[in-house]
Amino acid sequence: MRRKLMLLISYLVVWVGVVNAQVSQVAGTVTSSEDGLPIVGASVLVKGTTVGTVTDIDGNFSIPNVPENAKTLVVSFIGMKSEEVAVAPTLNVVLHPDTEVLDEVVVTGYGNFKKSSFTGSASNVSTEKLKDVPSVSVQDRLAGSVSGVQITSTSGQPGAVASVRIRGMGSINASNEPLYVIDGVPMMNGNVSEFSYANSGNSLMATLNSNDIESMTVIKDAAAASLYGSRAANGVIIITTKRGSAGKTKFNVKADWGMSDMAINYRPILNGAERRDILYLGLKNYMLNGGKSEQEAIAYADSKIDSYAAEPWSGYTDWKDVLFRKGAHQNYEVSAQGGSEKTHFYTSFSYTKQDGITNVSGYERFTGRASVNHKADRVSIDASAMFTNSTQNVNNEGTSFASPIMCYAMTASPSTYPYNEDGSFSTFFPALNGANPVQTETYNYNRSVVNRFMGSIGATWNIWDNLNLKEILSYDFSQNNERVWWDPRTNDGRSSNGVMQRVMTNMAKLNTQTQLTYNKTVAENHNFDVLLGFETEDYGYEYVYANGNTYPSYMPEIENAGNTRASSSVSKYRMTSFLGRLNYDFADKYYFSGSYRRDGSSRLSRASRWGDFWSVSGSWRISGESFMESLNHIFTDVKLRASYGVNGTQPTDYYGYLGVFGFGYNYKGNGGSAEMRVDNPNMKWEKNYATNIGLDITLWNRLSMTVEWYNRDTKDLLMNKAISGVTGIIDGSGVANTLMNVGEMRNRGVEFELRSTNIQNKDWSWTTTFNISHNRNTLLKLDGNQNEMINGVLIHRVGEPYYSIYAYEYAGVDPQTGKELYYINGENGSRETTTNSAEANKTIIGAVEPKVQGGLTNFVSWKFIDFNITLTYSIGGNAFDYATWLQSNGGTYNYVGNVPAYYKIEDTWQKPGDNAKLPQFAFGNKNISSSRWLMPTDHLRVKNLTVGFTMPSNLSSKLGLGKVRAYVAANNLLTWKSKKLYVDPETPVNGICTFETPALRTVTFGMEIGF
């Protein structure tokens, strides 16, 4: 027993000795969990005191003298979660990104602020988890990520222009697009294409490589946006690009390949046999309606059906197979970043090619970017440059007979065929006047080549204390070389024996900024931040157009044409601005901010040139109060904020205020001019008055919620108002009017955002982001003389949303006659019906803007696997099917063209007493615009999805690599929508749909290697 006791005591002595052994020296490495690369600059602390720093480019550190009795070390780095490790002679520390810390910074373009101290409304979007999205559109990175932001596209052709609306539309004649600011510099955006044969346009935003973007911030209220003055009425999107960091140079190589097709089943049509059957029924009904017997009706249908629905020599044609293809996507990128403690650099090069779903559409882009930052004793210099060369090929869209979209959906029926038996092109196209869409796309083309350069250089001088002077000079240049060729062998060019059109445009913007900033803390609790600034902006636009026709052969250059003509123009504008901002907070609990900007624009007369824009905002950090201390373990942060301000919009026309003469008129062979517009010196800024109230709550440091209410009143809207025509100055429609600041509009709504960290441990991570928003657009005033303006099936009526749909209200099918029924909607509110549309009254049948919209994003990672999915949704909006030729229940175009798939014989009215779903189908019917063709845009879409597999660092390091990752990514993968919606749910802004190219569903496989 004694021996056992002595043995136990010996073990205890040895154990205590081991425990109390003092480790005097520690050496190790610090790496990132994301890519396994070293983290230079990480700090090693003991009880809050820094005892070591990682300065070695390989991430190594050493502590020769560990403080006595130190049992643990804390390793930390900005943007990473701190790690506490036990003291040991050798340590290998892996730091994980702290997304909460990263999200706390709000970038405004005029300074960066902690979200806790920011008094305005702004949402951050990190592109890290969206870097694999297979799309050339930068806006796709925002879809579903920010409340109050609606993104739509007129076309799914690669490189197409996307429309972005932040908290609704705020202008009628001026732009509704937000201002884009990249690294503090306002940039050009919009459609660079000069021809309108394709609805897609050519987006300047597509010239950016979205993987060069570190983050995007969407500013929605006036608190920060008013500092941008006249350019910020529609919100601001701040883009921050990637920068280098100190340490060993890191290389990253990435490539992906994939396929594309239609994201939805676009405008399905009846096949050849089904079409023949219903056309036969329509011919028979036509005779029966004329009083003929059953036998006579059948005989007539038998004699005529082959004129409209004969099966061609090659069998019924599937035009979807002929005119469309599987698109292809490929992307290659290489980047490098690194530097020393004082100098950082980042550079990248990428090549992207995306073939559209039509046989000729596609987009090809080369992009290079470089940036360098250097810090001397009291001066820091930032310089960056980007160059892009892109080529876009597009097909005609809309109601052009050369549009493959319209040919498939309406004009090229299954009874037509692309080739004759001898292999020559067919000319049997009754709805197209003989134009063969395959021949058209074989010989014609519409091609645009864009070269873009963006460069900026800035210097910041620390004059004294926290007083800094910053100078920025930036230049944004874009050249578009666009050409359209109509071959003599096609219907477009046959009458002119070939037509070549060429446009060359140069757009250039020079921006200078001078900013003086000072921040100071007084008496510990009083914090001040002051900004004074001066800016200039010079924009120039040059346009040259040339046209040639009558070609001796198929050589599409202007010099080969028998007849030529040309025109050119030059436009310029300038803006000068003074600005200032004051931020103040007391004890990190009470915050106040005020800003003022004065803009002077050459687009307005001297009397109205200057506009004043300002904002005031404040917030109360409730969680900082003493009465909240007992709840701090639940309510990590609670903040109430409010803002009010004014910003504005310039007129679109650079010289709209001037009374001008137009030249180029021909008077009996001599050049001449004529007065085109009267003086308009009273034209002034459109003003946007914005109010925002928000509440931010963070629970348990894991769940954050934001609720916001806003009101946005736009006054002095520019609208055409009738003037006397006595002067003889009229427009092309014979109307005398001029732009005046007379209209008013309101956007009012609520937004809700929820961000949660559901799981966060060594192996698992799961975060969720959800947002929902509601906006109500209301037209408050037109020109002061009228309360409504009707434009086709759209009505702009005071008291209603600007884009309201106006048509007869459909009441179903008359059981006795099989004709369409309409509600009369008389003055007494009668709900009586009639089959004669002339007896009914049109009414507002719906609004384009959805009731609610938003997105849901989930990011899940487990060890070496990551999964990211973004859903977008919209409820309560409408679109109108304006392809009226298809909607006649047997009209002319159903017989020379296609019949939509919803015309099923079993659903049509056959005899008196039938309670049919569809009216009688009969040859010769006419179409009537009614609510029958109103389409709900309710939908749920898997917008972005990524599944990635990262090789464990212990394996990749054996290969000499920092990161090896494979992934599968998709864009517009799945869409759930109403069966009544025959087009893509991301409809044009005005909700009027004809034959737009649907959005692309793209799926890619990619690889990424870092070393």
Side-chain angles (χ1 to χ4, degrees):
M1 183 67 180
R2 175 180 290 184
R3 184 178 179 182
K4 290 182 179 179
L5 181 61
M6 293 298 294
L7 186 61
L8 177 60
I9 293 173
S10 300
Y11 284 154
L12 288 174
V13 170
V14 172
W15 181 78
V16 170
V18 171
V19 170
N20 289 330
Q22 175 66 37
V23 177
S24 60
Q25 295 184 358
V26 173
T29 60
V30 181
T31 57
S32 168
S33 65
E34 281 198 310
D35 50 21
L37 296 176
I39 300 179
V40 180
S43 299
V44 182
L45 300 91
V46 173
K47 298 180 180 181
T49 302
T50 301
V51 295
T53 303
V54 178
T55 58
D56 184 77
I57 60 175
D58 292 322
N60 298 318
F61 72 91
S62 63
I63 305 173
N65 298 304
V66 178
E68 189 176 352
N69 298 324
K71 298 294 189 297
T72 60
L73 302 176
V74 175
V75 182
S76 67
F77 185 70
I78 296 175
M80 310 295 282
K81 291 186 177 181
S82 299
E83 290 286 338
E84 184 174 335
V85 294
V87 173
T90 304
L91 295 172
N92 293 312
V93 183
V94 179
L95 298 185
H96 299 267
D98 189 343
T99 54
E100 292 179 359
V101 171
L102 295 176
D103 288 343
E104 283 184 355
V105 178
V106 177
V107 181
T108 67
Y110 288 101
N112 301 339
F113 305 93
K114 287 185 177 180
K115 193 170 184 178
S116 60
S117 64
F118 187 64
T119 57
S121 175
S123 296
N124 282 353
V125 179
S126 174
T127 60
E128 176 62 27
K129 293 169 184 162
L130 298 172
K131 63 182 180 180
D132 304 321
V133 174
S135 173
V136 298
S137 171
V138 172
Q139 290 89 340
D140 272 346
R141 284 1 188 220
L142 290 174
S145 299
V146 180
S147 63
V149 177
Q150 182 181 19
I151 300 173
T152 59
S153 181
T154 306
S155 171
Q157 295 199 68
V161 176
S163 295
V164 179
R165 297 289 181 269
I166 299 176
R167 292 182 171 179
M169 65 173 293
S171 184
I172 296 173
N173 283 288
S175 173
N176 280 287
E177 295 297 314
L179 171 69
Y180 290 86
V181 178
I182 184 165
D183 293 332
V185 178
M187 61 178 289
M188 297 188 295
N189 71 292
N191 182 15
V192 72
S193 177
E194 295 293 336
F195 294 121
S196 58
Y197 306 117
N199 295 332
S200 64
N202 192 349
S203 174
L204 267 180
M205 293 299 295
T207 60
L208 299 180
N209 174 17
S210 53
N211 283 337
D212 281 336
I213 297 174
E214 184 72 33
S215 66
M216 290 186 283
T217 301
V218 180
I219 298 176
K220 297 180 281 187
D221 74 334
S226 61
L227 270 178
Y228 291 98
S230 61
R231 300 165 294 182
N234 302 308
V236 185
I237 296 178
I238 309 293
I239 296 174
T240 303
T241 61
K242 294 179 179 178
R243 289 287 191 264
S245 58
K248 182 180 179 181
T249 300
K250 305 172 187 177
F251 295 92
N252 197 71
V253 179
K254 183 180 179 183
D256 57 78
W257 312 265
M259 303 293 290
S260 301
D261 61 2
M262 292 185 183
I264 49 99
N265 184 16
Y266 179 83
R267 290 194 181 277
I269 59 174
L270 297 180
N271 62 33
E274 294 168 336
R275 176 177 176 271
R276 182 182 175 92
D277 289 343
I278 199 167
L279 293 189
Y280 184 90
L281 175 65
L283 292 169
K284 191 172 76 168
N285 285 337
Y286 173 69
M287 296 303 289
L288 291 173
N289 292 341
K292 302 297 182 180
S293 66
E294 180 79 12
Q295 291 75 14
E296 290 175 312
I298 291 174
Y300 178 80
D302 287 340
S303 66
K304 293 292 185 181
I305 189 62
D306 282 341
S307 299
Y308 303 110
E311 184 174 356
W313 69 271
S314 54
Y316 287 120
T317 305
D318 182 354
W319 282 103
K320 191 171 187 178
D321 184 59
V322 173
L323 295 174
F324 297 93
R325 64 184 177 185
K326 290 287 186 181
H329 177 95
Q330 55 181 308
N331 179 69
Y332 309 92
E333 298 180 21
V334 59
S335 65
Q337 61 173 313
S340 61
E341 291 185 7
K342 292 187 176 182
T343 305
H344 306 158
F345 73 90
Y346 174 87
T347 183
S348 71
F349 177 80
S350 70
Y351 170 76
T352 301
K353 185 177 182 182
Q354 192 167 38
D355 296 326
I357 55 174
T358 59
N359 293 328
V360 298
S361 63
Y363 191 83
E364 187 177 28
R365 184 188 68 197
F366 298 86
T367 302
R369 182 174 184 84
S371 66
V372 62
N373 319 101
H374 177 74
K375 186 173 183 180
D377 292 337
R378 300 179 68 177
V379 176
S380 60
I381 298 175
D382 301 310
S384 65
M386 183 204 81
F387 177 78
T388 295
N389 171 267
S390 67
T391 301
Q392 184 193 43
N393 285 285
V394 295
N395 52 257
N396 286 20
E397 292 177 284
T399 55
S400 166
F401 71 82
S403 165
I405 311 298
M406 190 178 78
C407 288
Y408 151 73
M410 187 182 83
T411 54
S413 77
S415 292
T416 59
Y417 42 95
Y419 302 101
N420 297 315
E421 291 186 71
D422 61 2
S424 61
F425 286 111
S426 167
T427 58
F428 177 63
F429 293 91
L432 294 170
N433 194 28
N436 186 328
V438 175
Q439 185 180 27
T440 299
E441 70 181 19
T442 300
Y443 295 129
N444 293 353
Y445 62 82
N446 185 339
R447 183 174 302 130
S448 173
V449 177
V450 174
N451 291 305
R452 187 179 193 184
F453 170 82
M454 285 195 298
S456 67
I457 185 169
T460 302
W461 174 33
N462 177 231
I463 302 173
W464 168 78
D465 193 19
N466 293 322
L467 180 64
N468 294 297
L469 177 65
K470 185 176 184 179
E471 293 284 345
I472 301 176
L473 174 67
S474 68
Y475 185 67
D476 189 354
F477 174 81
S478 177
Q479 181 183 81
N480 176 37
N481 186 351
E482 196 167 0
R483 59 185 70 189
V484 172
W485 167 245
W486 295 340
D487 195 276
R489 292 165 287 188
T490 67
N491 275 32
D492 288 303
R494 185 170 293 120
S495 62
S496 299
N497 205 29
V499 177
M500 164 60 78
Q501 299 177 78
R502 291 196 62 169
V503 166
M504 176 79 78
T505 57
N506 291 333
M507 296 185 295
K509 179 185 287 188
L510 178 66
N511 178 269
T512 67
Q513 300 181 32
T514 300
Q515 298 174 14
L516 187 66
T517 60
Y518 183 70
N519 60 79
K520 185 71 174 178
T521 299
V522 179
E524 294 187 0
N525 290 324
H526 300 277
N527 303 301
F528 295 89
D529 177 16
V530 182
L531 165 71
L532 295 175
F534 172 75
E535 295 185 14
T536 65
E537 182 174 288
D538 286 86
Y539 174 84
Y541 170 83
E542 297 179 350
Y543 168 93
V544 177
Y545 171 81
N547 179 298
N549 60 67
T550 313
Y551 281 82
S553 61
Y554 312 124
M555 296 185 294
E557 283 299 340
I558 301 294
E559 67 174 357
N560 298 326
N563 297 312
T564 61
R565 58 187 174 90
S567 64
S568 65
S569 66
V570 176
S571 301
K572 294 182 179 181
Y573 79 81
R574 173 176 292 179
M575 188 167 65
T576 301
S577 308
F578 303 89
L579 59 104
R581 181 199 64 211
L582 170 64
N583 290 332
Y584 166 76
D585 78 78
F586 174 74
D588 291 329
K589 291 190 293 186
Y590 312 106
Y591 303 88
F592 169 82
S593 181
S595 68
Y596 172 79
R597 182 178 179 120
R598 183 168 173 81
D599 283 339
S601 173
S602 64
R603 299 191 197 183
L604 297 163
S605 69
R606 293 184 182 276
S608 307
R609 180 158 294 170
W610 290 93
D612 298 306
F613 309 102
W614 53 271
S615 74
V616 291
S617 59
S619 64
W620 174 28
R621 196 173 185 186
I622 303 173
S623 56
E625 299 291 351
S626 58
F627 60 80
M628 291 290 291
E629 288 182 1
S630 62
L631 299 174
N632 281 348
H633 64 289
I634 299 175
F635 295 94
T636 308
D637 188 56
V638 180
K639 184 174 67 173
L640 180 67
R641 49 190 168 77
S643 68
Y644 179 80
V646 181
N647 41 41
T649 304
Q650 302 180 78
T652 303
D653 193 328
Y654 300 162
Y655 310 105
Y657 70 93
L658 289 173
V660 296
F661 281 77
F663 295 87
Y665 296 92
N666 189 312
Y667 291 96
K668 295 183 179 181
N670 297 312
S673 65
E675 193 172 5
M676 294 178 60
R677 188 172 60 224
V678 296
D679 284 328
N680 192 5
N682 296 321
M683 186 169 66
K684 55 186 179 181
W685 303 89
E686 294 183 348
K687 291 291 185 68
N688 190 74
Y689 301 82
T691 304
N692 189 87
I693 298 174
L695 176 65
D696 304 318
I697 301 175
T698 302
L699 302 173
W700 307 292
N701 207 29
R702 300 174 68 91
L703 180 67
S704 63
M705 297 178 290
T706 297
V707 181
E708 297 194 77
W709 175 90
Y710 63 87
N711 187 80
R712 177 186 176 199
D713 287 339
T714 308
K715 300 181 180 181
D716 297 327
L717 282 172
L718 287 167
M719 297 187 65
N720 282 315
K721 186 171 183 178
I723 60 174
S724 172
V726 174
T727 59
I729 303 174
I730 58 177
D731 61 19
S733 302
V735 177
N737 54 39
T738 188
L739 278 175
M740 294 187 179
N741 299 90
V742 290
E744 294 184 14
M745 184 180 293
R746 171 174 293 158
N747 289 276
R748 177 177 290 174
V750 292
E751 299 170 355
F752 175 75
E753 288 188 359
L754 179 69
R755 300 174 185 267
S756 66
T757 301
N758 308 312
I759 300 175
Q760 186 71 61
N761 57 41
K762 180 180 178 182
D763 294 329
W764 280 95
S765 177
W766 175 23
T767 60
T768 299
T769 302
F770 171 77
N771 69 78
I772 185 172
S773 60
H774 162 74
N775 182 76
R776 166 73 177 182
N777 173 267
T778 306
L779 184 61
L780 300 179
K781 181 183 176 183
L782 284 168
D783 62 4
N785 297 326
Q786 54 185 335
N787 289 324
E788 63 182 37
M789 297 171 62
I790 299 173
N791 181 15
V793 295
L794 290 176
I795 186 171
H796 312 307
R797 177 182 288 174
V798 172
E800 299 290 342
Y802 182 77
Y803 287 125
S804 295
I805 303 173
Y806 187 69
Y808 297 112
E809 188 178 2
Y810 181 65
V813 180
D814 183 5
Q816 298 305 311
T817 64
K819 294 182 178 180
E820 292 178 309
L821 283 170
Y822 308 97
Y823 289 107
I824 294 177
N825 287 321
E827 294 181 0
N828 59 358
S830 170
R831 298 296 286 171
E832 296 178 0
T833 60
T834 178
T835 57
N836 183 3
S837 62
E839 297 176 355
N841 294 289
K842 292 183 177 181
T843 186
I844 293 178
I845 59 175
V848 174
E849 188 175 44
K851 294 290 191 298
V852 295
Q853 62 178 352
L856 173 66
T857 298
N858 277 281
F859 176 78
V860 182
S861 67
W862 175 76
K863 293 186 177 180
F864 60 90
I865 302 174
D866 60 88
F867 173 79
N868 188 47
I869 184 172
T870 297
L871 304 176
T872 58
Y873 65 90
S874 173
I875 302 172
N878 297 280
F880 191 83
D881 188 356
Y882 208 50
T884 55
W885 310 271
L886 299 171
Q887 303 159 359
S888 54
N889 308 313
T892 301
Y893 273 99
N894 290 147
Y895 276 80
V896 298
N898 283 312
V899 181
Y902 50 76
Y903 280 118
K904 293 181 173 60
I905 289 182
E906 60 270 22
D907 291 337
T908 62
W909 184 91
Q910 305 289 334
K911 62 184 184 304
D914 283 351
N915 290 313
K917 182 179 178 180
L918 298 176
Q920 181 194 53
F921 194 92
F923 177 79
N925 278 346
K926 303 294 183 182
N927 65 284
I928 301 294
S929 294
S930 72
S931 58
R932 179 183 173 189
W933 312 112
L934 190 69
M935 302 182 293
T937 55
D938 302 351
H939 72 280
L940 175 66
R941 168 167 278 175
V942 180
K943 189 65 179 178
N944 301 312
L945 183 144
T946 305
V947 180
F949 305 87
T950 302
M951 182 181 294
S953 58
N954 61 334
L955 296 179
S956 60
S957 61
K958 292 179 180 179
L959 300 175
L961 301 173
K963 180 179 183 180
V964 179
R965 181 171 180 266
Y967 62 90
V968 177
N971 183 229
N972 299 322
L973 182 62
L974 295 170
T975 304
W976 294 271
K977 63 179 182 62
S978 168
K979 291 182 179 180
K980 290 188 64 178
L981 183 63
Y982 316 118
V983 298
D984 193 87
E986 296 179 19
T987 57
V989 171
N990 64 3
I992 304 303
C993 303
T994 53
F995 301 105
E996 296 79 23
T997 304
L1000 301 183
R1001 176 197 291 119
T1002 304
V1003 179
T1004 61
F1005 168 79
M1007 292 287 295
E1008 184 177 5
I1009 299 175
F1011 55 93

